Amino acid sequence: MSEQVDSRDPATPASESEPLVKRSITRTVLSELGLVSLWDSQRDVKLLCGQRFVRMLGYGASMLILVAYLTALGNRKTEIGLFMTLTLVGDVCISFFLTLFADALGRKATLALGALLMMGSGIVFALCSSYWILLVAAILGVISPNGNEIGPFRAIEESIVAQLIVPENRSDVYAWYSLFGLAGAAFGIMICGWVLELFTEVLHWDLLYSYRGIFIIYAAIGLLKLILTVSLSHSVESEKKQQQKKQNSSHRDERTPLLRDEDSSNEQEVPTPAKLKSGLRRFLPAIGKESVSVVTVLCFLFGLDSFGTGVNPLSWITYYFQWRFGVEKGELGSIFFVTQIVAAVSLLVASAIAKRLGNVKTMVLTHLPSQIFRALIGVPNNVHIAILFCILNSSTASMDTAPRSAFLATIILPEERTAVMGTLNVVKTTASSLGPIITGVLVDHNLYWVSFLLGGSLKALYDVGILIFFRHKEKEREKSERDRIQRQEQERNRAEQSLPNEAS
């Protein structure tokens, strides 16, 4: 009898520990996927992820019908090509202007203005047929000609995320932020196709009116984005803007996040002449001398990477397989659909790697092999080997997205983030638009394989440059930022302790 009791007693704590072990394993898995960091983040961060999804939902839907809509209005292909180019130019100019002044004018207000422009563009496209009116709406408003991110939104949102998230969790949050964007674009394309079929096949609408119905939906998406923007708290504003509000207020808002107190240290770093600026100059961000060299190198390297991407855009890659090997469009569509899913999952894998190796090493480790595969796509005469290189490249090309955003948030000073990120986006957009010109010349001379070699080599050179220039710089900035956050926490604790004394 005693032997039976002894055999049960050890089993009791073991059975009780099983749920604890399972919970521990579950939390570890969720932590590696970045879900714990996202769940623990502030409400504003979740709203920004929702805005990214909604915005890319609209971009994906409009991209699918934009060329077809302009064609249905009777515009020539040359006019449509000019339309796309000028839309891109207008986006670059307006994005640069808005991100440059966003911190001074207010990040929330700038995001709201962008949402209004998005909504206005949808309304104009739905109601007007004039080529020139549509062109003005596309240039001054927010219409994505290729389904990619446009406008000032991403630079401002990533700057806000960097301010609200501690450094060690940024890669996780940026991974999910990027994943929401990919999912939004994919759902936008899919839903647009379903809605078009509903309008034309079930409701028997004219095709032109069906397209206009999509742009009405696009305007509604802009309205939804505006509502999400208005729901943001004052914590999304720049630290200097929050300091101004605290100076004008007689009490401290209890909802202010920890990182909001960073302005006390940053204000001391701002040169005295910056306070004497007047007119338009007082809205410009103060860029330190040390930051100028960092930003210059970043612009060069990111421009190099984007130019390499522009040399081999997806449209040219798909055309290569049709031209060289006669691969059917349906087969290519299935291949790239799978690679997009793998690429989305790889974002979370890269975030887990970044926790162990750091952002710079993760960027290079994940991006460099992908570009080697890109350079080799045009070499094989065997279609299966060429497709294998293409799949390996497409599946891993986006792995550096989240670590790169976290790296930029660390390497750029808080008061400079919005303006610098906006500048980098302008440089990348401009550089990528020049790539297809080079590809066209090479293809005309039957040197398609050189375009793959050139694109992969330029992007590999970017990886080497990032590793050389910023491997140690990132660690220095991380240490200084942690020290600053620790000082702010100590100051906040002292302030909280002094309140009871003042009350007594």
Side-chain angles (χ1 to χ4, degrees), residues 122-139:
I123 294 173
V124 172
F125 269 72
L127 300 179
C128 298
S129 301
S130 171
Y131 175 84
W132 298 108
I133 294 178
L134 294 179
L135 181 60
V136 171
I139 293 175

Side-chain angles (χ1 to χ4, degrees), residues 54-178:
V54 168
R55 183 171 68 252
M56 295 305 295
L57 185 76
Y59 290 170
S62 64
M63 180 272 298
L64 190 65
I65 65 167
L66 183 58
V67 175
Y69 179 61
L70 294 174
T71 302
L73 291 175
N75 298 297
R76 299 191 305 270
K77 294 297 187 292
T78 53
E79 293 175 332
I80 295 176
L82 178 64
F83 187 97
M84 299 294 188
T85 301
L86 293 179
T87 299
L88 186 62
V89 172
D91 165 60
V92 168
C93 296
I94 292 177
S95 297
F96 179 70
F97 177 81
L98 290 178
T99 52
L100 196 62
F101 295 98
D103 283 357
L105 298 176
R107 293 172 178 172
K108 185 175 177 179
T110 306
L111 290 175
L113 175 60
L116 287 172
L117 292 174
M118 183 177 179
M119 186 168 55
S121 299
I123 294 173
V124 172
F125 269 72
L127 300 179
C128 298
S129 301
S130 171
Y131 175 84
W132 298 108
I133 294 178
L134 294 179
L135 181 60
V136 171
I139 293 175
L140 299 180
V142 180
I143 288 287
S144 176
N146 53 13
N148 295 329
E149 182 72 84
I150 62 169
F153 306 112
R154 182 170 182 174
I156 299 174
E157 290 172 353
E158 288 187 347
S159 181
I160 295 172
V161 170
Q163 179 174 302
L164 299 180
I165 300 296
V166 293
E168 53 267 25
N169 292 340
R170 284 174 185 162
S171 184
D172 289 340
V173 176
Y174 280 131
W176 281 100
Y177 174 82
S178 301

Side-chain angles (χ1 to χ4, degrees), residues 288-330:
K289 292 183 179 179
E290 182 184 358
S291 298
V292 171
S293 60
V294 172
V295 172
T296 302
V297 175
L298 285 174
C299 286
F300 174 75
L301 293 176
F302 278 63
L304 202 65
D305 177 60
S306 296
F307 182 73
T309 301
V311 171
N312 304 126
L314 185 59
S315 56
W316 278 109
I317 295 176
T318 54
Y319 177 74
Y320 170 76
F321 283 100
Q322 297 175 47
W323 168 76
R324 178 77 183 275
F325 301 109
V327 181
E328 295 293 333
K329 293 181 180 179

